[in-house]
Every structure is written in structure tokens, then in C-alpha cells.
């Protein structure tokens, strides 16, 4: 696995303004350092404990992205350092992030996760729930979270037209919300198998693991 070479060839595919989040879940700190030494600074993890352990050990200029489902009782472990939480899927979680961010004297950037895939099991808001949340006025009191945009995962399928439809729907929602949420600037969509489609459909951030670090067990 030539991490430096993989990073380079993915970067060549990406428009300059798109952020590459290297998804390092389950991978060793020495593999992360290979990517770091090749210039990579944004890394994504899906478990708070694993991310915290790696943050403690690794250079402090790494930007850590929490891309997985977050349990509220784990927010406190990452509130001092997390750079962006991609998987915010409930108002209750936002309230907890706001509280922990205040304790850490920070404003924590978050993305709302939207359920776009056909599969039942995926986490996330649907469109109506986000609109309801905005209309409710409940976000106004959350001074220590900043909503930067949306994240979504397409259905795991060979059918690229379906993936494209799902990403396109997410982009449409993003554009609509952007009119109400002036901080909106990030649309996190695309993984190893579908990031090219994500880019074509307006992604600003791709989360790529196996194409950089190799398959996970
Ligand atoms: C694991 C994971 C990725 C990366 O997946 P790859 O197929 O290895 O690129 C991206 N996003 C989320 C939310 C993940 O959990």
C-alpha cells in the first residue's frame, strides 16, 4: 500500500477547492503519519475513543473530523479538539455539543447528516425534519455550535444513476438551506466508491478511506 502515491492520484482527481478527508478509522498511527508526511492534514474517524487516542499521540496541527454516529455521552471526550462533526442527526445531540463546546470555550463546527440512501438502517435527518428544526427556532440558543452544511451517504450500490440522484437531492436541499443559514459552505458527500459522482454533483468535501489506506478488515 503506497499511501503517498494513493493520496497523490486522488488529489489529481479533485478540484482545488474540495477538501479531502482521509478516513483513517481502524488504521495505525504510523499509516496516518505516512499520509501526514505527504502533506495530508484532515483525517476522519468514526469512533470517538479511537479518534481521541490518535489525537493524543499525533501532531497537533491535524484537523480531526468525526464522521460516524455520535453518542451524546461521548461528546465531552472530543470537544477540546474536534475540527468538524459530520454526523449530527438529532437536536438533542446538537444541544449536547453546544454545552460541551461552551465548557471548552470553543465554537464547534457541525454538519447535519441527511438520510438520502434507500437503506433503512442509516442515521440522519430527513428534509422535513431539518425544516421543522429551523422553523422551531430551537437553534437560536445554541451559540457554541456553527452549522456549516450537510453530510450524506448514498446507497451502497453499483447503480451510479441512483447514487447520482441521491447526491443531487442532497445538493438541492443544501442550496435551499443555504438561503436561511449564512454559514453554510460545506457539502460532505462522496467516499472511495462514489466520490467522482459526489464531485460532479457539487460536493465540497470527500471522505476517502480504503482508496488511500487499503481495505479494512
Ligand atoms: C468509513 C467511512 C468512509 C470511508 O469509506 P471508504 O469506502 O473506505 O472510502 C466515509 N464516510 C463514512 C461516514 C464512513 O464511515
Amino acid at each position: 500500500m503506497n499511501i503517498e502515491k494513493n493520496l497523490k492520484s486522488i488529489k489529481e482527481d479533485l478540484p482545488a477547492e474540495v477538501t479531502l478527508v482521509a478516513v483513517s478509522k481502524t488504521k495505525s498511527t504510523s499509516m496516518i503519519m505516512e499520509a501526514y508526511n505527504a502533506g495530508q492534514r484532515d483525517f476522519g474517524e468514526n469512533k470517538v475513543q479511537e479518534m481521541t487516542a490518535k489525537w493524543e499521540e499525533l501532531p497537533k496541527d491535524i484537523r480531526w473530523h468525526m464522521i460516524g454516529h455520535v453518542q451524546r455521552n461521548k461528546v465531552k471526550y472530543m470537544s477540546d479538539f474536534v475540527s468538524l462533526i459530520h454526523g449530527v442527526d438529532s437536536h438533542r445531540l446538537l444541544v449536547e455539543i453546544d454545552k460541551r463546546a461552551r465548557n471548552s470555550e470553543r465554537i464547534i463546527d457541525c454538519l447535519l447528516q441527511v438520510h438520502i440512501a434507500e437503506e433503512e438502517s442509516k442515521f440522519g435527518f430527513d428534509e422535513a425534519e431539518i425544516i421543522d428544526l429551523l422553523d422551531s427556532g430551537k437553534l437560536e440558543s445554541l451559540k457554541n455550535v456553527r452549522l456549516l452544511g450537510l453530510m450524506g451517504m448514498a446507497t451502497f450500490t453499483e447503480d451510479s444513476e441512483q447514487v447520482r440522484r441521491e447526491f443531487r437531492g442532497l445538493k438541492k436541499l443544501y442550496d435551499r438551506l443555504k438561503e436561511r443559514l449564512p454559514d453554510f459552505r460545506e457539502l460532505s458527500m462522496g467516499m472511495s466508491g462514489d466520490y467522482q459522482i459526489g464531485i460532479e454533483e457539487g460536493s465540497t468535501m470527500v471522505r476517502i478511506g480504503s482508496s488511500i489506506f487499503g481495505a479494512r478488515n
Side-chain angles (χ1 to χ4, degrees):
M1 195 40 55
N2 188 331
I3 291 170
E4 182 176 1
K5 194 159 143 251
N6 293 344
L7 273 171
K8 196 160 170 255
S9 76
I10 292 167
K11 284 273 196 192
E12 280 166 7
D13 264 2
L14 298 180
E17 66 278 9
V18 171
T19 301
L20 170 60
V21 178
V23 175
S24 49
K25 63 191 185 194
T26 79
K27 301 298 178 182
S28 66
T29 51
S30 66
M31 290 178 89
I32 296 175
M33 280 310 294
E34 268 186 70
Y36 180 91
N37 289 329
Q40 182 65 26
R41 290 295 179 272
D42 290 273
F43 290 89
E45 293 282 336
N46 70 339
K47 295 207 169 76
V48 174
Q49 263 122 333
E50 183 178 342
M51 183 172 77
T52 303
K54 287 171 173 173
W55 166 70
E56 281 171 358
E57 187 178 331
L58 291 168
K60 291 298 174 281
D61 61 342
I62 289 177
R63 292 180 291 273
W64 291 101
H65 296 249
M66 174 42 61
I67 63 169
H69 179 67
V70 178
Q71 290 170 284
R72 280 179 295 139
N73 62 357
K74 302 281 170 62
V75 173
K76 57 179 177 285
Y77 301 114
M78 63 176 170
S79 57
D80 278 340
F81 70 90
V82 68
S83 175
L84 180 62
I85 302 177
H86 293 232
V88 176
D89 61 359
S90 73
H91 175 249
R92 294 201 318 163
L93 177 58
L94 265 183
V95 170
E96 176 66 15
I97 295 169
D98 182 66
K99 176 177 146 193
R100 297 297 173 180
R102 194 169 330 107
N103 287 346
S104 298
E105 300 180 351
R106 296 184 63 209
I107 290 172
I108 294 183
D109 288 334
C110 295
L111 305 180
L112 299 177
Q113 184 172 352
V114 184
H115 177 107
I116 56 171
E118 266 172 13
E119 289 122 57
E120 267 304 313
S121 63
K122 297 268 167 71
F123 297 102
F125 290 99
D126 65 33
E127 183 163 340
E129 288 168 337
I130 294 185
I131 304 291
D132 283 351
L133 182 59
L134 289 185
D135 290 345
S136 74
K138 283 181 189 162
L139 296 179
E140 266 102 83
S141 59
L142 306 179
K143 304 286 187 213
N144 292 70
V145 295
R146 185 169 63 155
L147 294 181
L148 277 198
L150 302 177
M151 181 274 240
M153 271 192 280
T155 304
F156 187 71
T157 172
E158 297 283 301
D159 181 353
S160 58
E161 282 314 305
Q162 180 177 350
V163 171
R164 188 178 298 284
R165 272 197 307 278
E166 292 172 358
F167 282 161
R168 194 166 288 175
L170 185 61
K171 171 70 158 70
K172 209 170 145 203
L173 176 62
Y174 170 82
D175 286 339
R176 191 173 153 206
L177 295 174
K178 213 174 153 155
E179 294 172 8
R180 296 180 63 176
L181 295 165
D183 291 325
F184 258 38
R185 72 195 67 166
E186 300 292 356
L187 182 55
S188 171
M189 59 183 197
M191 322 188 354
S192 292
D194 58 16
Y195 73 88
Q196 276 103 345
I197 303 174
I199 296 298
E200 286 162 16
E201 296 303 327
S203 173
T204 69
M205 212 172 237
V206 291
R207 312 174 310 273
I208 299 180
S210 43
S211 294
I212 298 171
F213 297 108
R216 290 174 298 273
N217 297 325

